[in-house]
Amino acid sequence: MSDPHLTLEQTHALAMRILTRHRIGEAQAQAIADTVTHAERDECKSHGLFRIPGYVKAAKSGKADGHAVPLIKDLAPGVIHIDSKRGFAPLALKTAYAPLIERTRQQGIAAAGITNTHHFAALWPEVETLAGHGLVAFAFTAALSYVAPAGGTKPLYGTNPMGFAWPRQGHSPLVFDQASSASARGEIQLHLRDGKPIPEGWALGPDGAPTTDPEMALKGAQLCFGGYKGAAIALMVELLAGALIGDLFSFESTAADNGDGGPPTGGEFLLCIDPAKTNGAGSNALAHAEKLFEAIMAQPGTRLPSDRRYEARKRTPEEGITVAPVLYEELQRLAAQ
Ligand code: NDP
């Protein structure tokens, strides 16, 4: 039998039905359902419907407040603070966009610190949105302690992703968005669900030895990509999304977590630059960048980061998406409660 199939509209409606039946208000639910549907649209399965049960767990346990209204405050002419009030990150991000774009256009550069939030998603939605307004954007968020520092065997860092987007004229933005761990944790969870081994180099077991068993990997420590170089990025993300904006490090978030399996508490740091205001040579930064992209694409075997998602985005509105049967059953159960 083929896997259950949904249109993108059905995906969004299913997400809304579940979220609003489980202590999540309309505004928070709408922002989450948009994020999850966009992940399914772009075939980023580990941040699609797969995340819905986690949002529900955090709302039901009371760790997150599904009715929170984010509070925005100016800290400096180019720095804004969004207190998510224990809500989920998608609504806090929606709240941040307009003032962050406005400040960046005024000053050439601006930053936003989102604190007291529950982030469970990819970072490309935020940087792509900001780049869609002609701005260069960076995003950083920490998570729970899953990843060993370089040379260590015990979890300390989060999987700590960073996202980057560059605006393009006549094209969707160039975006990369990657965990500083060798894999996102969701990928290991998907391997466990599907009974598949994980690649070598992703994790150590609880005994500190390398493992390809996803269950042992989840009990042990994930590894950074590229050894100490990825570990330096994980460290930077901890500092930017933690100490810099006044939120928790991953190990502090782990200590505060109730273990419900939902998104942890933490912060997100956004940095935004207007390329029309940084180019002292007076040249067109975006036109110049296109030459680099052309040179990359001139080599066989290359592609630009984000092209895979944009290709998927052309297909899924017509073709719809499939959902793993075990996840579909869980979602139907949640929708019926
Ligand atoms: P991947 O390794 O799948 O991809 C990383 C980046 O590399 C993507 O931008 C991808 O673009 C690009 N890429 C992949 N292959 C190529 C290629 N051959 N040529 C050029 N570019 C390429 O991502 P990760 O597994 O590291 O992370 C997955 C997601 O998990 C991210 O979205 C991240 O934000 C999220 N995450 C979220 C966390 C949280 O706490 N909120 C924690 C950790 C991760 P493309 O998309 O086009 O394939």
Side-chain angles (χ1 to χ4, degrees), residues 44 46-47 51 119-125 141-144 158-163 175-185 187 264 301-310:
C44 297
S46 57
H47 291 91
R51 294 288 169 178
H119 204 301
F120 212 27
L123 296 181
W124 55 260
T141 191
L144 292 171
T159 45
N160 292 7
M162 64 173 284
V175 180
F176 78 75
D177 169 22
Q178 58 195 37
S180 44
S181 49
S183 78
R185 193 162 185 86
E187 285 298 327
T302 61
R303 72 166 171 91
L304 296 179
S306 62
D307 276 359
R308 180 198 60 81
R309 287 192 301 103
Y310 294 144

Side-chain angles (χ1 to χ4, degrees), residues 139-158:
F140 309 86
T141 191
L144 292 171
S145 274
Y146 294 134
V147 180
T153 58
K154 301 288 175 220
L156 178 71
Y157 301 139

Side-chain angles (χ1 to χ4, degrees), residues 89 91 93 119 226:
L91 185 61
L93 283 159
H119 204 301

Side-chain angles (χ1 to χ4, degrees), residues 181-184 187-188 191 198-204 211 217 221-224:
S181 49
S183 78
E187 285 298 327
I188 302 182
H191 279 73
I198 57 168
E200 282 176 22
W202 279 18
L204 306 173
T211 185
Q222 288 180 245
L223 292 169
C224 286

